[in-house]
């Protein structure tokens, strides 16, 4: 059953290059999580030009991008957040509207940062992003790891680490071997395979 309510507008940022406000349009029971809700929201600006570049801002296992529709679904904060070119947003597994605003403010911050990168010409092109994603897989990452199976990251093997890295369950800096000077070539390999933006989405700080 839909919760009867008036649209509620929230200011996320007093000054923003693109997204500054969001409006909650409706709140419905979440069909996949008991005692939680699904929230439909609308940004104050269209975000279609930013969506393709957002793909590299999160670990690959956390994103599902429908290129033909330019729709991006993020698996973040233990829920699914779907972003549409019009600025429409769908969010499930949410406790209440306050939690929804907390989560969407984080997403809006990433959207604004990405918009500035696009305007400044520092964001990767859509074709380059598509090319990297088409080649990305656990073996490609594994080939860039030290392959020592040292287990310092908490995983039994480097391959297991590569798999969890793709799914977003571990962060890249847990592979402490990468910080050793003799593994500089491995870091360069990761930069080639992933790109710096995706590495940063995995916790890497250049």
């Amino acid at each position: 059953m839909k919760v009867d309510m008036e649209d509620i507008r929230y200011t996320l940022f007093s000054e923003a290059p693109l997204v500054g406000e969001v409006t909650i349009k409706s709140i419905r029971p979440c069909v996949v999580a008991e005692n939680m809700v699904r929230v439909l929201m609308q940004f104050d600006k269209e975000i279609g030009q930013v969506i393709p570049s957002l793909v590299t801002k999160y670990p690959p296992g956390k994103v599902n991008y429908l290129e033909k529709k330019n729709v991006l679904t993020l698996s973040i904060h233990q829920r699914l957040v779907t972003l549409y070119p019009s600025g429409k947003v769908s969010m499930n597994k949410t406790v209440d509207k306050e939690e929804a605003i907390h989560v969407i403010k984080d997403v809006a911050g990433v959207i604004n940062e990405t918009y500035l990168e696009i305007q400044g010409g520092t964001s990767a092109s859509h074709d380059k992003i598509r090319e990297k994603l088409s080649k990305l897989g656990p073996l490609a990452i594994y080939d860039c790891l030290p392959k020592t199976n040292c287990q310092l990251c908490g995983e039994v093997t480097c391959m297991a680490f590569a798999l969890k890295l793709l799914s977003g369950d571990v962060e890249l800096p847990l592979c402490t071997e990468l910080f050793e000077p003799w593994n500089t070539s491995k870091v360069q390999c990761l930069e080639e395979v992933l790109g710096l933006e995706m590495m940063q989405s995995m916790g890497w700080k250049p």
Side-chain angles (χ1 to χ4, degrees):
M1 180 182 296
K2 180 178 177 180
V3 177
D4 293 328
M5 56 175 286
E6 298 291 331
D7 289 356
I8 307 174
R9 179 177 294 180
Y10 292 85
T11 298
L12 302 175
F13 307 102
S14 57
E15 295 183 7
L18 185 63
V19 172
E21 296 181 346
V22 69
T23 300
I24 292 182
K25 308 294 288 186
S26 71
I27 299 176
R28 302 172 183 268
C30 180
V31 297
V32 297
E34 190 176 357
N35 298 323
M36 288 190 170
V37 296
R38 176 173 176 259
V39 184
L40 297 179
M41 293 174 275
Q42 179 69 44
F43 285 130
D44 56 333
K45 299 287 179 60
E46 294 184 359
I47 59 173
Q49 69 181 112
V50 177
I51 286 178
S53 297
L54 289 176
V55 173
T56 63
K57 299 297 184 179
Y58 298 89
K62 299 292 185 183
V63 301
N64 181 20
Y65 179 51
L66 301 178
E67 185 174 358
K68 289 185 178 179
K69 295 184 177 181
N70 197 25
V71 173
L72 178 65
T73 297
L74 305 171
S75 179
I76 55 175
H77 300 286
Q78 293 80 51
R79 74 203 66 206
L80 297 179
V81 179
T82 303
L83 306 174
Y84 298 85
S86 64
K88 173 185 168 184
V89 180
S90 172
M91 182 187 301
N92 73 354
K93 294 184 179 179
T94 302
V95 174
D96 52 30
K97 60 181 182 293
E98 286 76 19
E99 186 184 49
I101 294 303
H102 175 75
V103 172
I104 206 60
K105 184 173 182 177
D106 285 345
V107 175
V110 177
I111 289 172
N112 286 331
E113 289 173 6
T114 305
Y115 175 76
L116 288 175
E117 290 173 1
I118 293 172
Q119 295 300 303
T122 59
S123 179
S125 69
H126 298 173
D127 288 341
K128 191 171 183 179
I129 292 171
R130 189 185 303 112
E131 180 184 359
K132 283 191 180 298
L133 290 175
S134 68
K135 298 177 180 177
L136 192 57
L139 280 175
I141 293 178
Y142 173 73
D143 284 340
C144 296
L145 296 176
K147 300 181 182 178
T148 59
N149 295 331
C150 67
Q151 301 185 17
L152 293 175
C153 64
E155 303 302 323
V156 176
T157 64
C158 291
M159 177 57 79
F161 181 77
L163 286 165
K164 286 198 172 183
L165 195 62
L166 274 180
S167 66
D169 293 323
V170 298
E171 291 197 331
L172 193 52
L174 286 176
C175 179
T176 54
E177 290 270 320
L178 291 173
F179 296 99
E180 300 295 348
W182 53 83
N183 280 324
T184 301
S185 62
K186 297 296 185 181
V187 175
Q188 292 171 344
C189 177
L190 287 167
E191 289 177 352
E192 179 64 28
V193 170
L194 297 171
L196 188 56
E197 287 182 339
M198 200 175 298
M199 286 179 68
Q200 289 174 331
S201 78
M202 296 173 173
W204 187 260
K205 291 179 173 58

